[in-house]
Amino acid sequence: MAFSRRGLMAAAGAPVLMRVADALAQGIQPRRGGILQTILTPEPPILQLGVNNQGPTLVAASKMFQSLLTFSPTLEPIPVLAKSWEVSGDGREYVFRLQDNVKFHDGTPMTADDVIFSIMRFHMELAPRARAIFQMIDSATAPDPLTVRLTLKQPFQPFLLMFEVTACCIVSKRLFDGQDFRTAPTVQRPVGTGPFRFVEWQRGNFVRLERFEEYWKPGQPYLDGIIYRIVPDSQSRRLAIETGQVQMTQANDIEPFDVPGLRQRPNLTVETKGWEYFSPLSWMEINHRVAPLGDPRVRRAMSMAIDRNFITNRLWFGVGKPATNPIASTTRFHDTAVKIAGHDVRTANQLLDAAGLRPNAQGIRATLKHIPLPYGEIWTRLSEYLRQSMRQIGIQLEMESVDAGSWARRIGNWEYETSVNFVYQYGDPTLGVERTYVSSNIQRVTFTNTGGYANPRVDELFLAARSAADATERQRAFTDAQKILVEEVPQIWLTELAFPTIHDKKLNNVITTGVGVHTSFDDVFLAG
């Protein structure tokens, strides 16, 4: 059954209206003006979505770029560049009506041609996850400059979830067409349709964005601009939010062990909402090509050597929860009955004995290199804990420290043995889980199946879940896949993450959707 334009607009526009109503109910009139000072950790290599999809890039670039939709905390679609949309009765045709008078930061109008170029060429070439979904599109046409019609080869139930800015930002066809997408001049000075335009980037110091005066929403954004400070030292970041040098921190900015103290500050709000769409899951990254990591008994033993409750309670101070399987509990089709084996060092050692991995005179069964995730002290502490845990079963981890850019390059090139990673799940396992485990996605690209895991039955189950239109059928396939993955442990799942957003109480409308700090911030304002 096709959705009517009027019905969609009434339902999808409600969260936007509620944000203004809530502010007014509290006696707070949205105020125009002021610069939001915040932090970006670590400093990203570039700020062009699609070309780089690391966490810090997503945070900052989502103020410059937009997509067709965003999503509520319950993952209901909300209009952004698409003011309405219709879905055909057979679930194959999607028609998006675009907002009027949208311009890119260079002053050129955004049209349906830019949307089709972004979907069918830009993201198809750059993003393996997007490519896996967008290759389902049989035709993409523009009946007029403000209408996009996408016809799928077959129905695909979670299709709309792909049109969020971090998954599919809309770029200018004029600036990218005929260029190498990764090295085009605009990559260094991003040009989007968002409420803030790129102005300046002093490496190692700050990124400065300012209000785009031709933004398509009248009277918005409220802020004059946003400055992202690059502050490598974690205690300096805490001091900055405590003393008001910055009004907001997000994601990895504040170490979890500093959060309890900041909760006590009367001028600050600490929120862990706004990650519903992403459902980030962390794991110990395993390269199956490196002996003895290709043996599932070894991976299972390594998993059992880890106390996930210790990680959640003692390292993350209760921010997040222990992972139980490869699908986060906040992602659809998670099966609560399918769980990884618990912390059991004795059984882990027995598994390694059975695998023929005997300890030497020093008690060492194997020595592996380990690259900590270079996203702050908490990740260094996590890797130190993993080293201690592995030592209990005779596996020695040797640490190799790298910066964020080198980490992404090495993981993407398979130049690692073990590491730590976390990946977003994007509301549905087909969108954010499948990519790590299907053999067709073994690529030299970060955030694909870089570990090299391959199981034909798992491939079949993810394909069945992808193809099924019925939710019950999808659940059956996903449950069977979870059972196999829990048994073979292709990656060692650790924690369901919920990063804190900490902000001055004068800053309003910070977390209002299921994508949190990854919205455009066009309605964020400073009161008083």
Side-chain angles (χ1 to χ4, degrees), residues 98-113:
L98 304 181
Q99 302 284 359
D100 301 308
N101 302 315
V102 178
K103 292 183 179 180
F104 287 105
H105 298 156
D106 63 357
T108 59
M110 184 210 75
T111 71
D113 285 344

Side-chain angles (χ1 to χ4, degrees), residues 246-510:
V246 301
Q247 293 85 45
M248 184 179 74
T249 62
Q250 63 245 304
N252 285 281
D253 293 345
I254 297 300
E255 303 289 357
F257 44 80
D258 286 329
V259 172
L262 293 174
R263 287 187 187 275
Q264 306 305 313
R265 306 287 294 193
N267 63 315
L268 297 178
T269 295
V270 178
E271 302 189 62
T272 55
K273 296 181 295 182
W275 292 95
E276 293 84 2
Y277 175 76
F278 300 102
S279 295
L281 185 74
S282 71
W283 60 63
M284 187 176 182
E285 178 87 17
I286 301 298
N287 188 341
H288 292 222
R289 306 166 190 85
V290 177
L293 298 175
D295 189 331
R297 295 170 296 181
V298 173
R299 300 192 299 270
R300 197 155 57 246
M302 293 171 68
S303 177
M304 295 175 72
I306 297 168
D307 184 346
R308 290 162 179 80
N309 288 318
F310 179 91
I311 292 173
T312 301
N313 297 324
R314 299 293 295 278
L315 297 182
W316 288 93
F317 286 78
V319 180
K321 58 192 295 188
T324 58
N325 80 42
I327 300 179
S329 61
T330 48
T331 300
R332 291 187 297 175
F333 304 109
H334 167 86
D335 192 326
T336 58
V338 182
K339 296 181 180 180
I340 54 178
H343 181 221
D344 188 342
V345 174
R346 183 169 177 269
T347 302
N349 276 299
Q350 291 173 346
L351 275 171
L352 294 177
D353 287 340
L357 210 61
R358 298 289 180 177
N360 63 16
Q362 290 73 44
I364 302 299
R365 300 176 187 267
T367 298
L368 298 168
K369 295 177 181 178
H370 181 83
I371 306 175
L373 184 65
Y375 277 22
E377 187 176 344
I378 180 59
W379 298 102
T380 301
R381 293 189 181 192
L382 174 60
S383 286
E384 289 291 346
Y385 169 73
L386 293 176
R387 178 160 64 177
Q388 295 173 17
S389 298
M390 295 304 109
R391 192 175 294 153
Q392 297 177 86
I393 58 173
I395 294 177
Q396 180 171 285
L397 295 186
E398 295 181 346
M399 301 293 180
E400 296 183 284
S401 296
V402 299
D403 60 24
S406 298
W407 176 88
R409 178 187 59 77
R410 290 188 58 177
I411 299 297
N413 288 335
W414 311 341
E415 296 170 1
Y416 71 100
E417 296 184 357
T418 68
S419 185
V420 170
N421 198 355
F422 68 88
V423 172
Y424 295 157
Q425 302 202 340
Y426 298 103
D428 191 281
T430 297
L431 304 182
V433 179
E434 170 191 302
R435 56 179 167 154
T436 304
Y437 307 106
V438 293
S439 60
S440 59
N441 205 33
I442 298 175
Q443 301 186 56
R444 291 187 182 273
V445 179
T446 314
F447 306 123
T448 62
N449 183 354
T450 47
Y453 172 73
N455 182 318
R457 179 56 181 158
V458 169
D459 291 347
E460 291 172 2
L461 290 167
F462 275 116
L463 178 60
R466 169 191 287 265
S467 305
D470 178 68
T472 302
E473 190 177 343
R474 297 188 78 212
Q475 180 67 73
R476 188 180 305 115
F478 281 132
T479 290
D480 288 347
Q482 288 170 76
K483 289 177 180 177
I484 296 172
L485 293 173
V486 161
E487 180 67 21
E488 298 192 340
V489 197
Q491 304 295 351
I492 299 174
W493 310 291
L494 301 173
T495 312
E496 295 184 14
L497 302 169
F499 296 108
T501 302
I502 304 172
H503 63 87
D504 193 296
K505 290 183 177 178
K506 294 180 180 179
L507 192 66
N508 292 268
N509 290 340
V510 177

Side-chain angles (χ1 to χ4, degrees), residues 48-65:
Q48 176 61 62
L49 287 174
V51 178
N52 182 270
N53 290 321
Q54 290 175 268
T57 300
L58 305 185
V59 167
S62 56
K63 313 303 173 284
M64 297 180 280
F65 292 93

Side-chain angles (χ1 to χ4, degrees), residues 104-217:
F104 287 105
H105 298 156
D106 63 357
T108 59
M110 184 210 75
T111 71
D113 285 344
D114 297 296
V115 174
I116 291 172
F117 173 84
S118 299
I119 295 168
M120 302 304 295
R121 292 187 55 196
F122 185 78
H123 292 289
M124 279 280 280
E125 177 176 323
L126 292 173
R129 184 173 66 85
R131 185 184 311 123
I133 306 306
F134 292 154
Q135 66 186 6
M136 295 181 177
I137 299 172
D138 188 47
S139 68
T141 59
D144 61 64
L146 294 180
T147 302
V148 173
R149 176 177 285 114
L150 303 176
T151 303
L152 306 186
K153 298 171 184 175
Q154 61 188 47
F156 181 59
Q157 188 268 331
F159 188 60
L160 283 179
L161 287 166
M162 281 301 299
F163 296 103
E164 188 272 337
V165 65
T166 64
C168 181
C169 71
I170 303 305
V171 300
S172 168
K173 177 181 179 180
R174 185 183 71 84
L175 294 177
F176 277 103
D177 198 11
Q179 305 269 349
D180 182 328
F181 297 160
R182 293 176 176 83
T183 60
T186 190
V187 169
Q188 299 305 318
R189 295 188 64 84
V191 173
T193 63
F196 300 95
R197 68 180 188 90
F198 178 86
V199 177
E200 182 182 9
W201 186 352
Q202 288 190 11
R203 295 276 178 175
N205 194 359
F206 65 84
V207 174
R208 182 163 67 92
L209 314 179
E210 68 177 25
R211 177 193 289 123
F212 178 43
E213 296 295 351
E214 296 184 84
Y215 185 53
W216 56 275
K217 287 188 183 180

